Amino acid sequence: MKSKLYDMSANEIGEIELPENVFDIAYNEPLIHEVVVAYNANQRQGTKSTLTRSEVRGHAKKPYRQKHTGRARHGSTKSPEYKGGGVVFAPKPRDFSKKVNKQVKKIAFASALSAKLAQNDIIFIDEFKLDAPKTKEVEKFLNAFKIDNKVVVVTDAPNADGVRAANNIQNVELQIAELLSTYDVVANKTVVLTKAAVKSLEEAYN
């Protein structure tokens, strides 16, 4: 498999060889859905916690007599009806994480990338190198490729200058190939891969 290779100014400079086991996999929506759901679930901290009526500070003394007051019957000021009372079905800390088979993750990831490539939503560039760590340099890059939607730029190694320059642009995310997930591919309309990032993906899948 081959695809066009560009420079930072959107000039075509050649072709890039693509590994078929990463970019030519049949679309498998159920697996992609399973992996993305698990990814989102694993981002949840699950630390929320409120008090039930048995845990609220205070006493359980009956606030007033049962009958002949003209008011509703109450047995404790710790009940949910009172300010400062307990919460009904109070949320407690829990683990939301889901486990996904390693092979399923690999197939889903390759399937998502293959679908992006089939839709012409992947751009391959020689390298992501800015003249200066400034926002206008990233904007110049986006304008050259006419990218006006959510985009993830994938490099083979951390790019501090790129991250600093893209921080002020809401729809631009920088990621390294080693940490690129199925969610990153699905959540962004456009995926930009450097030549070195493609090499890293190929090595990871061999």
Side-chain angles (χ1 to χ4, degrees), residues 73-161:
R73 295 170 291 184
H74 285 290
S76 170
T77 54
K78 295 167 68 173
S79 63
E81 291 85 358
Y82 279 87
K83 182 179 179 181
V87 176
V88 181
F89 305 126
K92 294 295 181 183
R94 56 169 289 193
D95 182 11
F96 288 95
S97 65
K98 296 177 180 291
K99 289 185 178 180
V100 179
N101 183 284
K102 193 174 182 180
Q103 191 65 21
V104 169
K105 284 183 180 179
K106 292 183 72 172
I107 296 173
F109 179 73
S111 177
L113 274 179
S114 299
K116 281 288 182 188
L117 183 62
Q119 296 164 1
N120 295 318
D121 287 332
I122 297 184
I123 298 171
F124 299 97
I125 60 175
D126 186 40
E127 60 177 347
F128 187 74
K129 188 176 182 180
L130 304 175
D131 294 333
K134 295 184 177 180
T135 301
K136 66 179 180 180
E137 293 296 321
V138 179
E139 289 178 336
K140 189 189 300 183
F141 165 75
L142 297 175
N143 291 333
F145 285 96
K146 298 179 181 178
I147 300 174
D148 58 358
N149 44 47
K150 289 190 69 175
V151 57
V152 57
V153 180
V154 187
T155 57
D156 66 316
N159 188 325
D161 287 348

Side-chain angles (χ1 to χ4, degrees), residues 13-205:
I13 58 174
E15 290 185 328
I16 182 173
E17 193 79 33
L18 302 176
E20 292 187 6
N21 61 334
V22 180
F23 294 95
D24 192 23
I25 300 295
Y27 183 60
N28 194 323
E29 187 173 353
L31 287 191
I32 293 175
H33 178 267
E34 180 183 348
V35 172
V36 170
V37 167
Y39 175 89
N40 285 327
N42 294 341
Q43 304 308 303
R44 299 181 68 175
Q45 290 183 319
T47 55
K48 60 184 179 180
S49 180
T50 55
L51 304 179
T52 63
R53 62 186 296 166
S54 65
E55 298 169 320
V56 180
R57 286 188 64 184
H59 57 77
K61 180 182 177 182
K62 192 172 178 65
Y64 47 82
R65 63 180 183 169
Q66 180 85 344
K67 295 178 177 294
H68 310 302
T69 64
R71 303 175 65 184
R73 295 170 291 184
H74 285 290
S76 170
T77 54
K78 295 167 68 173
S79 63
E81 291 85 358
Y82 279 87
K83 182 179 179 181
V87 176
V88 181
F89 305 126
K92 294 295 181 183
R94 56 169 289 193
D95 182 11
F96 288 95
S97 65
K98 296 177 180 291
K99 289 185 178 180
V100 179
N101 183 284
K102 193 174 182 180
Q103 191 65 21
V104 169
K105 284 183 180 179
K106 292 183 72 172
I107 296 173
F109 179 73
S111 177
L113 274 179
S114 299
K116 281 288 182 188
L117 183 62
Q119 296 164 1
N120 295 318
D121 287 332
I122 297 184
I123 298 171
F124 299 97
I125 60 175
D126 186 40
E127 60 177 347
F128 187 74
K129 188 176 182 180
L130 304 175
D131 294 333
K134 295 184 177 180
T135 301
K136 66 179 180 180
E137 293 296 321
V138 179
E139 289 178 336
K140 189 189 300 183
F141 165 75
L142 297 175
N143 291 333
F145 285 96
K146 298 179 181 178
I147 300 174
D148 58 358
N149 44 47
K150 289 190 69 175
V151 57
V152 57
V153 180
V154 187
T155 57
D156 66 316
N159 188 325
D161 287 348
V163 172
R164 190 179 304 121
N167 269 346
N168 289 333
I169 306 178
Q170 186 177 5
N171 291 330
V172 179
E173 175 190 354
L174 262 72
Q175 186 63 278
I176 61 175
E178 184 181 354
L179 299 179
L180 186 67
S181 68
T182 304
Y183 176 82
D184 294 323
V185 177
V186 173
N188 290 278
K189 170 65 177 172
T190 305
V191 178
V192 177
L193 290 166
T194 65
K195 192 175 181 179
V198 173
K199 185 69 175 175
S200 295
L201 293 175
E202 183 178 7
E203 291 173 354
Y205 274 74

